[in-house]
Amino acid sequence: MFSRDNRKSDFFYEPDVSVRLDGNLTDDLSYRLYARAQYDAFAREKDGNAAVARMGARLTENWDGWRFSAIYEHRYDFDGVYRDLAFTSDDVMGSVARDFRVNNVTFSPLLLLTYRFSDLAEARRWRFDALLGIEVKLDPQWSIVSTPLFEAFWFTDGLNRGRQDQIYSADIGLKYNFASNVSLTTSVLYEARESNVMVRRYRDLRIGPRLDFAF
């Protein structure tokens, strides 16, 4: 899976459900407690099925339009759709983000740094994310959206010690807002991973819709 050898195409779906509790400690300091479950289920390539369950907490300080966050997350990674527990981990994260609006365009840059502690040595690593959310409002219902993304990984232990990966991702989509809390986005995404471990390099193209709703 995700290698340059023996590439295959398939259909998959990815349910992703979260529950959260948000609140404010002060005017500028907010918190979030959350639990989240998601999985990938493939139509033919069942070896690609995977699932994650996680729970976490976030503190966010708003300062002059910038958002500084500290996040802790405990997660369980499964092989298959919640079939066999692969490993557990604890992620400690720090991020900075801000929204910029220019006429009908919103730019939302985000920088995120993560270290993962895990009972599986090969899963321990540093991770850096840099992304730019872009939304161009066409009218109250329709938008063009894109989220170019760069990720870098530095693995620290086990058989992965010394491994370094970089992921480059670009997408473009059309979003329709049915209501303030319900939207449908159809997008095309291209992703490439480079690595100093040859078999970890891959190219990935995804096309499909995503339905988001909150209540």
Side-chain angles (χ1 to χ4, degrees), residues 138-158:
L138 303 177
D139 61 32
Q141 279 75 45
W142 292 95
S143 302
I144 296 172
V145 293
S146 179
T147 309
L149 169 67
F150 170 74
E151 299 172 286
F153 298 82
W154 298 269
F155 292 85
T156 60
D157 287 302

Side-chain angles (χ1 to χ4, degrees), residues 10-209:
D10 202 354
F11 291 92
F12 73 98
Y13 63 97
E14 185 181 43
D16 187 340
V17 180
S18 300
V19 292
R20 72 190 197 200
L21 174 67
D22 293 348
N24 293 294
L25 300 176
T26 67
D27 290 342
D28 297 321
L29 183 62
S30 62
Y31 68 87
R32 171 173 294 174
L33 305 174
Y34 63 90
R36 182 178 176 187
Q38 65 186 111
Y39 65 84
D40 295 336
F42 286 82
R44 296 185 299 271
E45 302 301 322
K46 302 299 184 181
D47 288 342
N49 293 352
V52 179
R54 65 189 83 178
M55 60 191 72
R58 186 186 76 186
L59 282 176
T60 299
E61 176 74 23
N62 289 278
W63 182 73
D64 196 27
W66 293 89
R67 300 185 300 275
F68 298 89
S69 297
I71 307 158
Y72 166 76
E73 187 173 279
H74 182 69
R75 58 183 282 155
Y76 302 86
D77 282 75
F78 295 85
D79 293 324
V81 179
Y82 299 107
R83 187 183 64 203
D84 301 315
L85 180 63
F87 61 89
T88 62
S89 58
D90 295 279
D91 289 352
V92 179
M93 297 169 267
S95 71
V96 56
R98 182 168 181 164
D99 295 334
F100 298 91
R101 290 180 174 83
V102 180
N103 297 323
N104 64 326
V105 183
T106 300
F107 299 95
S108 302
L110 169 70
L111 300 177
L112 175 70
L113 183 64
T114 304
Y115 185 75
R116 171 167 293 173
F117 302 89
S118 178
D119 59 357
L120 178 66
E122 285 74 16
R124 299 170 194 157
R125 45 84 170 146
W126 287 95
R127 171 177 171 172
F128 171 73
D129 293 68
L131 63 88
L132 177 62
I134 304 170
E135 182 171 7
V136 182
K137 281 280 191 183
L138 303 177
D139 61 32
Q141 279 75 45
W142 292 95
S143 302
I144 296 172
V145 293
S146 179
T147 309
L149 169 67
F150 170 74
E151 299 172 286
F153 298 82
W154 298 269
F155 292 85
T156 60
D157 287 302
L159 298 176
N160 278 333
R161 181 186 294 272
R163 175 181 153 195
Q164 298 179 17
D165 295 356
Q166 303 83 40
I167 295 178
Y168 306 87
S169 174
D171 71 311
I172 188 166
L174 186 62
K175 178 180 178 182
Y176 181 78
N177 294 299
F178 294 98
S180 60
N181 61 340
V182 182
S183 65
L184 177 68
T185 304
T186 301
S187 62
V188 177
L189 180 146
Y190 177 77
E191 182 175 281
R193 179 166 71 184
E194 300 298 330
S195 177
N196 60 353
V197 178
M198 183 70 71
V199 296
R200 296 298 181 179
R201 301 175 184 176
Y202 69 78
R203 302 293 183 269
D204 188 21
L205 178 66
R206 305 177 204 173
I207 303 171

